[in-house]
Amino acid sequence: MAAAARARVAHLLRQLQRAACQCPTHSHTYSQAPGFAPSGKTTDYAFEMAVSNIRYGAGVTKEVGMDLKNMGAKNVCLMTDKNLSQLPPVQMVMDSLVKNGINFKVYDNVRVEPTDRSFMEAIEFVKRGAFDAYVAVGGGSTMDTCKAANLYASSPHSDFLDYVNAPIGKGKPVSVPLKPLIAVPTTSGTGSETTGVAIFDYEHLKVKTGIASRAIKPTLGLIDPMHTLHMPDQVVANSGFDVLCHALESYTALPYHMRSPCPSNPITRPAYQGSNPISDIWAVHALRIVAKYLKRAVRNPDDLEARSNMHLASAFAGIGFGNAGVHLCHGMSYPISGLVKTYKAKDYNVDHPLVPHGLSVVLTSPAVFTFTAQMSPERHLETAEILG
Protein backbone atom coordinates (compact mmCIF):
# COMPACT_ATOMS: atom_id res chain seq x y z
CA MET A 1 0.00 0.00 0.00
CA ALA A 2 2.82 2.43 0.90
CA ALA A 3 4.53 1.78 -2.45
CA ALA A 4 1.27 2.40 -4.31
CA ALA A 5 0.72 5.64 -2.44
CA ARG A 6 4.23 6.84 -3.22
CA ALA A 7 3.74 5.97 -6.87
CA ARG A 8 0.49 7.95 -6.97
CA VAL A 9 2.15 10.99 -5.37
CA ALA A 10 5.00 10.79 -7.88
CA HIS A 11 2.47 10.56 -10.72
CA LEU A 12 0.56 13.61 -9.44
CA LEU A 13 3.80 15.58 -9.11
CA ARG A 14 4.72 14.73 -12.72
CA GLN A 15 1.26 15.80 -13.89
CA LEU A 16 1.50 19.11 -12.05
CA GLN A 17 4.99 19.73 -13.41
CA ARG A 18 3.83 19.13 -16.98
CA ALA A 19 0.87 21.48 -16.44
CA ALA A 20 2.93 24.10 -14.67
CA CYS A 21 2.44 27.68 -15.80
CA GLN A 22 5.65 29.54 -16.64
CA CYS A 23 4.40 32.98 -15.61
CA PRO A 24 6.47 34.87 -13.02
CA THR A 25 4.11 33.87 -10.21
CA HIS A 26 4.56 30.14 -10.82
CA SER A 27 8.06 29.76 -12.23
CA HIS A 28 9.98 30.34 -8.97
CA THR A 29 11.65 27.50 -7.15
CA TYR A 30 9.77 27.12 -3.90
CA SER A 31 11.90 26.88 -0.78
CA GLN A 32 11.48 27.67 2.89
CA ALA A 33 15.21 27.81 3.58
CA PRO A 34 15.91 31.03 5.48
CA GLY A 35 17.34 33.70 3.19
CA PHE A 36 20.21 36.06 3.87
CA ALA A 37 20.39 39.67 2.81
CA PRO A 38 23.22 40.33 0.37
CA SER A 39 23.94 43.93 -0.48
CA GLY A 40 21.24 45.43 -2.66
CA LYS A 41 18.74 42.60 -2.07
CA THR A 42 15.31 43.53 -3.45
CA THR A 43 13.29 40.84 -1.67
CA ASP A 44 12.90 40.50 2.09
CA TYR A 45 15.35 38.48 4.17
CA ALA A 46 13.56 38.39 7.54
CA PHE A 47 10.17 37.76 9.10
CA GLU A 48 8.77 38.46 12.55
CA MET A 49 6.00 36.95 14.62
CA ALA A 50 3.46 39.20 16.30
CA VAL A 51 0.58 37.69 18.23
CA SER A 52 -1.70 38.67 21.08
CA ASN A 53 -1.37 37.00 24.45
CA ILE A 54 -3.84 34.12 24.53
CA ARG A 55 -5.61 32.52 27.48
CA TYR A 56 -7.71 29.41 26.89
CA GLY A 57 -10.14 27.59 29.15
CA ALA A 58 -13.80 26.85 29.79
CA GLY A 59 -15.15 29.75 31.84
CA VAL A 60 -12.03 31.91 31.44
CA THR A 61 -14.23 34.89 30.54
CA LYS A 62 -14.94 35.47 34.21
CA GLU A 63 -11.34 36.66 34.62
CA VAL A 64 -11.78 39.69 32.33
CA GLY A 65 -12.72 42.04 35.17
CA MET A 66 -9.62 41.06 37.12
CA ASP A 67 -7.46 41.62 34.03
CA LEU A 68 -8.83 45.13 33.56
CA LYS A 69 -8.36 45.89 37.25
CA ASN A 70 -4.76 44.66 37.00
CA MET A 71 -4.26 47.00 34.04
CA GLY A 72 -5.56 49.93 36.08
CA ALA A 73 -8.51 50.52 33.73
CA LYS A 74 -11.01 53.10 35.01
CA ASN A 75 -13.34 53.65 32.04
CA VAL A 76 -13.95 50.69 29.71
CA CYS A 77 -15.80 50.35 26.42
CA LEU A 78 -17.58 46.99 26.06
CA MET A 79 -18.23 46.45 22.36
CA THR A 80 -20.61 43.85 20.91
CA ASP A 81 -23.56 43.51 18.51
CA LYS A 82 -27.31 43.67 19.09
CA ASN A 83 -27.81 39.89 19.02
CA LEU A 84 -24.96 39.02 21.36
CA SER A 85 -25.87 41.75 23.80
CA GLN A 86 -28.77 39.53 24.91
CA LEU A 87 -26.74 36.32 25.16
CA PRO A 88 -24.68 34.70 27.97
CA PRO A 89 -21.16 35.67 26.72
CA VAL A 90 -21.86 39.40 27.13
CA GLN A 91 -23.66 38.87 30.43
CA MET A 92 -20.69 36.91 31.75
CA VAL A 93 -18.35 39.78 30.83
CA MET A 94 -20.59 42.39 32.42
CA ASP A 95 -20.91 40.31 35.61
CA SER A 96 -17.12 40.15 35.85
CA LEU A 97 -16.74 43.90 35.28
CA VAL A 98 -19.35 44.72 37.94
CA LYS A 99 -17.84 42.25 40.43
CA ASN A 100 -14.44 43.90 40.05
CA GLY A 101 -15.72 47.47 40.25
CA ILE A 102 -14.93 48.37 36.63
CA ASN A 103 -16.83 51.36 35.21
CA PHE A 104 -17.96 50.60 31.65
CA LYS A 105 -20.25 51.63 28.82
CA VAL A 106 -21.74 49.27 26.24
CA TYR A 107 -21.60 49.88 22.49
CA ASP A 108 -23.85 47.25 20.86
CA ASN A 109 -24.27 48.77 17.42
CA VAL A 110 -21.57 46.70 15.70
CA ARG A 111 -22.63 45.67 12.20
CA VAL A 112 -22.14 42.03 11.21
CA GLU A 113 -19.75 42.35 8.23
CA PRO A 114 -18.84 45.97 9.09
CA THR A 115 -18.62 48.86 6.66
CA ASP A 116 -16.59 52.06 6.66
CA ARG A 117 -19.76 53.79 7.90
CA SER A 118 -20.26 51.37 10.81
CA PHE A 119 -16.56 51.68 11.70
CA MET A 120 -16.87 55.46 11.80
CA GLU A 121 -19.98 55.32 13.99
CA ALA A 122 -18.06 53.21 16.51
CA ILE A 123 -15.07 55.56 16.26
CA GLU A 124 -17.26 58.58 17.08
CA PHE A 125 -18.73 56.76 20.09
CA VAL A 126 -15.35 55.92 21.59
CA LYS A 127 -13.93 59.38 20.91
CA ARG A 128 -16.75 60.85 23.00
CA GLY A 129 -16.25 58.27 25.74
CA ALA A 130 -12.54 58.87 26.38
CA PHE A 131 -12.04 55.18 27.27
CA ASP A 132 -8.81 53.84 28.68
CA ALA A 133 -9.44 50.18 27.74
CA TYR A 134 -11.69 48.07 25.51
CA VAL A 135 -13.38 44.67 25.62
CA ALA A 136 -14.69 43.19 22.36
CA VAL A 137 -17.17 40.32 22.75
CA GLY A 138 -18.23 38.66 19.51
CA GLY A 139 -16.97 37.40 16.20
CA GLY A 140 -14.56 39.00 13.79
CA SER A 141 -16.93 41.88 13.04
CA THR A 142 -16.94 43.02 16.67
CA MET A 143 -13.23 42.51 17.25
CA ASP A 144 -12.29 44.29 14.01
CA THR A 145 -14.63 47.20 14.77
CA CYS A 146 -13.10 47.54 18.23
CA LYS A 147 -9.56 47.51 16.82
CA ALA A 148 -10.43 50.31 14.40
CA ALA A 149 -12.17 52.33 17.11
CA ASN A 150 -9.17 52.00 19.41
CA LEU A 151 -6.82 53.09 16.62
CA TYR A 152 -8.67 56.21 15.53
CA ALA A 153 -9.50 57.27 19.09
CA SER A 154 -5.76 57.06 19.79
CA SER A 155 -5.00 59.05 16.62
CA PRO A 156 -7.91 61.53 16.66
CA HIS A 157 -6.58 63.88 13.99
CA SER A 158 -6.02 61.16 11.38
CA ASP A 159 -8.22 60.89 8.32
CA PHE A 160 -10.08 57.57 8.09
CA LEU A 161 -8.21 56.51 4.95
CA ASP A 162 -4.78 57.23 6.45
CA TYR A 163 -4.41 53.72 7.90
CA VAL A 164 -6.55 51.83 5.37
CA ASN A 165 -4.59 49.49 3.12
CA ALA A 166 -3.39 50.85 -0.21
CA PRO A 167 -4.50 51.35 -2.94
CA ILE A 168 -7.87 52.35 -1.40
CA GLY A 169 -6.24 54.11 1.54
CA LYS A 170 -2.81 55.51 2.24
CA GLY A 171 -1.57 52.52 4.25
CA LYS A 172 0.39 54.63 6.72
CA PRO A 173 2.29 52.77 9.45
CA VAL A 174 0.78 53.08 12.92
CA SER A 175 3.16 54.91 15.28
CA VAL A 176 0.75 56.06 18.01
CA PRO A 177 0.31 54.06 21.25
CA LEU A 178 -3.09 52.34 21.59
CA LYS A 179 -5.15 51.48 24.68
CA PRO A 180 -5.39 47.88 25.98
CA LEU A 181 -7.95 45.73 24.16
CA ILE A 182 -9.19 42.38 25.42
CA ALA A 183 -10.93 40.21 22.81
CA VAL A 184 -13.45 37.53 23.76
CA PRO A 185 -14.26 35.57 20.57
CA THR A 186 -17.66 33.88 20.38
CA THR A 187 -17.21 32.27 16.95
CA SER A 188 -14.57 29.86 15.66
CA GLY A 189 -13.40 31.36 12.40
CA THR A 190 -11.70 34.72 12.09
CA GLY A 191 -8.88 34.31 14.61
CA SER A 192 -9.16 38.08 15.00
CA GLU A 193 -8.26 37.80 18.68
CA THR A 194 -4.68 37.03 17.55
CA THR A 195 -4.18 39.40 14.60
CA GLY A 196 -3.46 43.01 13.75
CA VAL A 197 -6.04 43.07 10.96
CA ALA A 198 -9.45 44.78 10.77
CA ILE A 199 -11.62 44.11 7.70
CA PHE A 200 -14.59 46.14 6.44
CA ASP A 201 -16.72 46.87 3.37
CA TYR A 202 -15.77 50.12 1.66
CA GLU A 203 -19.23 51.06 0.46
CA HIS A 204 -18.25 53.66 -2.13
CA LEU A 205 -16.38 51.04 -4.21
CA LYS A 206 -18.44 48.02 -3.06
CA VAL A 207 -15.32 46.11 -2.05
CA LYS A 208 -13.79 44.81 1.14
CA THR A 209 -10.50 46.19 2.36
CA GLY A 210 -8.97 46.67 5.77
CA ILE A 211 -6.33 47.95 8.13
CA ALA A 212 -3.28 45.76 8.76
CA SER A 213 -0.80 46.66 11.46
CA ARG A 214 0.77 44.76 14.33
CA ALA A 215 -0.02 47.80 16.49
CA ILE A 216 -3.78 47.13 16.49
CA LYS A 217 -3.72 43.50 17.63
CA PRO A 218 -5.53 42.82 20.92
CA THR A 219 -3.55 42.89 24.13
CA LEU A 220 -5.17 39.66 25.25
CA GLY A 221 -7.50 37.07 23.73
CA LEU A 222 -9.72 35.11 26.13
CA ILE A 223 -10.70 31.92 24.30
CA ASP A 224 -13.61 30.40 26.19
CA PRO A 225 -15.07 27.32 24.46
CA MET A 226 -18.34 27.64 26.38
CA HIS A 227 -19.27 30.53 24.08
CA THR A 228 -19.30 28.26 21.01
CA LEU A 229 -22.27 26.21 22.19
CA HIS A 230 -24.78 28.91 21.20
CA MET A 231 -23.67 28.97 17.54
CA PRO A 232 -26.16 27.68 14.91
CA ASP A 233 -24.84 24.97 12.60
CA GLN A 234 -24.50 27.23 9.53
CA VAL A 235 -22.49 29.75 11.51
CA VAL A 236 -20.23 26.91 12.70
CA ALA A 237 -19.81 25.67 9.11
CA ASN A 238 -19.03 29.07 7.60
CA SER A 239 -16.67 29.94 10.45
CA GLY A 240 -14.94 26.60 9.93
CA PHE A 241 -14.51 27.33 6.22
CA ASP A 242 -12.69 30.52 7.22
CA VAL A 243 -10.31 28.56 9.47
CA LEU A 244 -9.72 26.07 6.65
CA CYS A 245 -8.84 28.77 4.14
CA HIS A 246 -6.74 30.78 6.61
CA ALA A 247 -4.59 27.70 7.17
CA LEU A 248 -4.41 26.60 3.53
CA GLU A 249 -3.70 30.08 2.18
CA SER A 250 -1.03 30.97 4.72
CA TYR A 251 0.71 27.63 4.16
CA THR A 252 0.69 28.08 0.37
CA ALA A 253 1.45 31.82 0.32
CA LEU A 254 4.53 33.19 -1.41
CA PRO A 255 7.49 32.59 0.95
CA TYR A 256 8.58 35.62 2.95
CA HIS A 257 12.01 35.77 1.31
CA MET A 258 10.43 36.08 -2.15
CA ARG A 259 8.27 39.06 -1.22
CA SER A 260 9.34 42.45 -2.49
CA PRO A 261 10.24 45.17 -1.85
CA CYS A 262 12.61 44.60 1.02
CA PRO A 263 11.56 47.12 3.70
CA SER A 264 13.99 49.95 4.34
CA ASN A 265 12.71 50.19 7.93
CA PRO A 266 11.20 47.43 10.10
CA ILE A 267 8.05 49.51 10.69
CA THR A 268 7.16 49.11 7.00
CA ARG A 269 7.47 45.31 7.00
CA PRO A 270 3.87 44.20 6.37
CA ALA A 271 1.86 42.10 8.80
CA TYR A 272 1.25 39.71 5.89
CA GLN A 273 4.86 38.73 5.22
CA GLY A 274 4.50 35.46 3.30
CA SER A 275 4.73 31.86 4.43
CA ASN A 276 7.46 31.23 6.97
CA PRO A 277 8.65 28.35 9.15
CA ILE A 278 6.77 29.48 12.29
CA SER A 279 3.43 30.28 10.63
CA ASP A 280 3.68 26.91 8.85
CA ILE A 281 3.57 25.05 12.18
CA TRP A 282 0.35 26.79 13.26
CA ALA A 283 -1.30 26.40 9.86
CA VAL A 284 -0.64 22.66 9.63
CA HIS A 285 -1.81 22.04 13.19
CA ALA A 286 -5.00 24.01 12.51
CA LEU A 287 -5.65 21.87 9.42
CA ARG A 288 -5.32 18.67 11.44
CA ILE A 289 -7.93 19.95 13.91
CA VAL A 290 -10.28 21.03 11.10
CA ALA A 291 -10.00 17.60 9.48
CA LYS A 292 -10.89 15.86 12.75
CA TYR A 293 -13.49 18.15 14.29
CA LEU A 294 -15.25 20.50 11.83
CA LYS A 295 -17.94 18.05 10.68
CA ARG A 296 -18.61 16.98 14.25
CA ALA A 297 -18.89 20.60 15.41
CA VAL A 298 -21.47 21.34 12.70
CA ARG A 299 -23.55 18.21 13.22
CA ASN A 300 -23.81 18.26 17.02
CA PRO A 301 -24.19 21.57 18.89
CA ASP A 302 -23.60 19.78 22.20
CA ASP A 303 -20.24 18.29 21.14
CA LEU A 304 -18.08 20.40 23.44
CA GLU A 305 -14.91 18.55 22.46
CA ALA A 306 -15.39 19.33 18.77
CA ARG A 307 -16.46 22.94 19.30
CA SER A 308 -13.66 23.56 21.80
CA ASN A 309 -11.07 22.26 19.36
CA MET A 310 -12.45 24.37 16.51
CA HIS A 311 -12.22 27.41 18.82
CA LEU A 312 -8.53 26.62 19.29
CA ALA A 313 -8.04 25.92 15.57
CA SER A 314 -9.36 29.39 14.81
CA ALA A 315 -6.68 30.93 17.04
CA PHE A 316 -3.96 28.65 15.68
CA ALA A 317 -4.80 29.55 12.08
CA GLY A 318 -4.99 33.19 13.14
CA ILE A 319 -1.42 33.07 14.42
CA GLY A 320 -0.40 31.51 11.10
CA PHE A 321 -2.15 33.81 8.65
CA GLY A 322 -1.78 36.88 10.87
CA ASN A 323 1.94 36.76 10.11
CA ALA A 324 2.08 34.94 6.77
CA GLY A 325 -1.02 36.38 5.13
CA VAL A 326 -3.73 34.97 2.92
CA HIS A 327 -4.05 35.12 -0.84
CA LEU A 328 -6.55 34.46 -3.62
CA CYS A 329 -9.49 32.92 -1.73
CA HIS A 330 -9.67 35.92 0.55
CA GLY A 331 -8.81 38.40 -2.18
CA MET A 332 -11.61 37.16 -4.41
CA SER A 333 -14.05 36.90 -1.51
CA TYR A 334 -14.09 40.69 -1.21
CA PRO A 335 -16.05 41.41 -4.40
CA ILE A 336 -18.29 38.40 -3.70
CA SER A 337 -19.38 39.84 -0.37
CA GLY A 338 -18.98 43.49 -1.34
CA LEU A 339 -21.39 43.23 -4.28
CA VAL A 340 -24.15 41.42 -2.38
CA LYS A 341 -27.60 42.86 -3.12
CA THR A 342 -30.33 40.56 -1.77
CA TYR A 343 -28.80 37.35 -0.39
CA LYS A 344 -29.44 36.61 3.28
CA ALA A 345 -27.76 33.61 4.81
CA LYS A 346 -29.52 31.04 6.97
CA ASP A 347 -28.92 31.36 10.73
CA TYR A 348 -27.68 34.96 10.52
CA ASN A 349 -30.07 37.30 12.31
CA VAL A 350 -29.27 40.57 10.51
CA ASP A 351 -31.34 43.25 8.81
CA HIS A 352 -29.20 43.61 5.68
CA PRO A 353 -28.11 41.39 2.75
CA LEU A 354 -25.14 39.29 3.76
CA VAL A 355 -22.78 36.69 2.33
CA PRO A 356 -21.01 35.27 5.41
CA HIS A 357 -17.27 35.79 5.20
CA GLY A 358 -16.32 32.12 5.44
CA LEU A 359 -18.77 31.21 2.69
CA SER A 360 -17.49 33.94 0.37
CA VAL A 361 -13.95 32.68 0.94
CA VAL A 362 -14.49 28.96 0.43
CA LEU A 363 -16.50 29.36 -2.81
CA THR A 364 -13.39 29.96 -4.91
CA SER A 365 -11.07 27.57 -3.05
CA PRO A 366 -11.27 24.60 -5.48
CA ALA A 367 -10.24 26.81 -8.39
CA VAL A 368 -7.66 28.69 -6.34
CA PHE A 369 -5.80 25.64 -5.07
CA THR A 370 -5.86 24.00 -8.49
CA PHE A 371 -4.05 27.12 -9.71
CA THR A 372 -1.60 27.54 -6.84
CA ALA A 373 -0.71 23.83 -6.74
CA GLN A 374 1.51 24.40 -9.76
CA MET A 375 3.88 26.49 -7.67
CA SER A 376 4.22 24.24 -4.63
CA PRO A 377 2.78 20.80 -5.41
CA GLU A 378 4.41 19.17 -2.39
CA ARG A 379 2.64 21.53 0.02
CA HIS A 380 -0.72 21.05 -1.66
CA LEU A 381 -0.39 17.28 -1.59
CA GLU A 382 0.61 17.42 2.07
CA THR A 383 -2.49 19.45 3.00
CA ALA A 384 -4.71 17.21 0.87
CA GLU A 385 -3.41 14.20 2.80
CA ILE A 386 -4.06 15.94 6.14
CA LEU A 387 -7.64 16.60 5.04
CA GLY A 388 -8.15 12.99 4.07
Side-chain angles (χ1 to χ4, degrees):
M1 288 294 289
R6 284 195 295 271
R8 175 160 173 73
V9 168
H11 173 67
L12 287 169
L13 285 169
R14 285 194 296 272
Q15 282 188 312
L16 285 168
Q17 190 172 27
R18 283 196 295 270
C21 173
Q22 295 304 308
C23 74
T25 301
H26 289 99
S27 58
H28 295 293
T29 301
Y30 191 90
S31 168
Q32 276 292 47
F36 296 93
S39 177
K41 187 172 175 65
T42 58
T43 56
D44 210 342
Y45 63 94
F47 68 92
E48 66 179 89
M49 295 299 292
V51 63
S52 309
N53 290 337
I54 295 298
R55 188 182 304 148
Y56 173 87
V60 75
T61 304
K62 66 180 180 292
E63 297 182 357
V64 66
M66 290 182 279
D67 286 313
L68 290 163
K69 192 172 184 178
N70 294 339
M71 292 173 183
K74 305 294 184 187
N75 184 29
V76 174
C77 175
L78 169 55
M79 197 166 286
T80 189
D81 64 48
K82 285 280 194 285
N83 294 324
L84 265 168
S85 66
Q86 308 301 317
L87 293 175
V90 171
Q91 188 59 55
M92 191 181 297
V93 169
M94 290 195 294
D95 289 346
S96 181
L97 299 184
V98 170
K99 181 179 179 181
N100 288 277
I102 303 295
N103 181 54
F104 67 95
K105 291 180 182 175
V106 176
Y107 180 83
D108 64 359
N109 203 33
V110 168
R111 187 182 193 271
V112 178
E113 301 297 335
T115 64
D116 52 327
R117 186 186 310 171
S118 73
F119 265 19
M120 286 189 274
E121 289 172 356
I123 291 164
E124 286 307 310
F125 176 85
V126 301
K127 281 182 177 179
R128 292 193 302 270
F131 299 107
D132 59 5
Y134 298 84
V135 181
V137 186
S141 297
T142 297
M143 291 184 279
D144 288 3
T145 300
C146 199
K147 291 175 191 176
N150 188 8
L151 170 61
Y152 288 97
S154 301
S155 184
H157 302 299
S158 295
D159 182 76
F160 180 72
L161 290 178
D162 281 353
Y163 297 119
V164 173
N165 297 337
I168 291 171
K170 297 176 183 177
K172 289 183 176 180
V174 177
S175 56
V176 296
L178 273 64
K179 304 298 184 186
L181 192 167
I182 299 177
V184 184
T186 59
T187 60
S188 303
T190 66
S192 187
E193 67 276 10
T194 71
T195 73
V197 179
I199 302 298
F200 64 94
D201 285 307
Y202 189 57
E203 292 182 301
H204 176 64
L205 296 179
K206 298 189 184 307
V207 295
K208 273 191 186 289
T209 183
I211 302 162
S213 170
R214 296 174 186 87
I216 69 171
K217 71 182 186 299
T219 311
L220 172 66
L222 296 179
I223 303 176
D224 188 338
M226 301 308 293
H227 298 330
T228 66
L229 298 179
H230 75 274
M231 284 195 295
D233 59 358
Q234 286 301 305
V235 177
V236 176
N238 291 326
S239 300
F241 292 149
D242 200 19
V243 177
L244 172 68
C245 289
H246 282 158
L248 287 172
E249 290 174 67
S250 64
Y251 193 60
T252 58
L254 193 75
Y256 74 94
H257 54 77
M258 292 169 62
R259 193 197 73 255
S260 61
C262 183
S264 58
N265 187 307
I267 198 172
T268 62
R269 181 168 283 116
Y272 285 2
Q273 302 163 93
S275 59
N276 61 77
I278 301 178
S279 287
D280 288 351
I281 293 168
W282 294 101
V284 168
H285 193 50
L287 282 175
R288 295 190 190 282
I289 296 173
V290 169
K292 184 174 182 179
Y293 289 109
L294 176 56
K295 289 180 182 178
R296 278 176 51 182
V298 173
R299 289 170 179 161
N300 183 0
D302 298 319
D303 190 337
L304 183 59
E305 180 188 5
R307 292 205 168 188
S308 297
N309 275 279
M310 284 303 301
H311 215 29
L312 269 180
S314 175
F316 292 168
I319 296 169
F321 92 85
N323 292 283
V326 286
H327 55 75
L328 288 173
C329 295
H330 273 75
M332 292 195 292
S333 79
Y334 296 162
I336 291 171
S337 54
L339 291 169
V340 64
K341 293 180 176 65
T342 59
Y343 181 78
K344 289 191 177 181
K346 180 178 178 286
D347 289 340
Y348 288 78
N349 183 21
V350 294
D351 60 2
H352 54 271
L354 170 72
V355 179
H357 174 65
L359 180 60
S360 70
V361 167
V362 81
L363 284 171
T364 61
S365 60
V368 164
F369 294 114
T370 299
F371 177 70
T372 57
Q374 300 172 29
M375 180 180 175
S376 53
E378 297 88 353
R379 287 192 164 225
H380 287 71
L381 288 167
E382 180 186 354
T383 56
E385 183 180 11
I386 289 169
L387 295 169

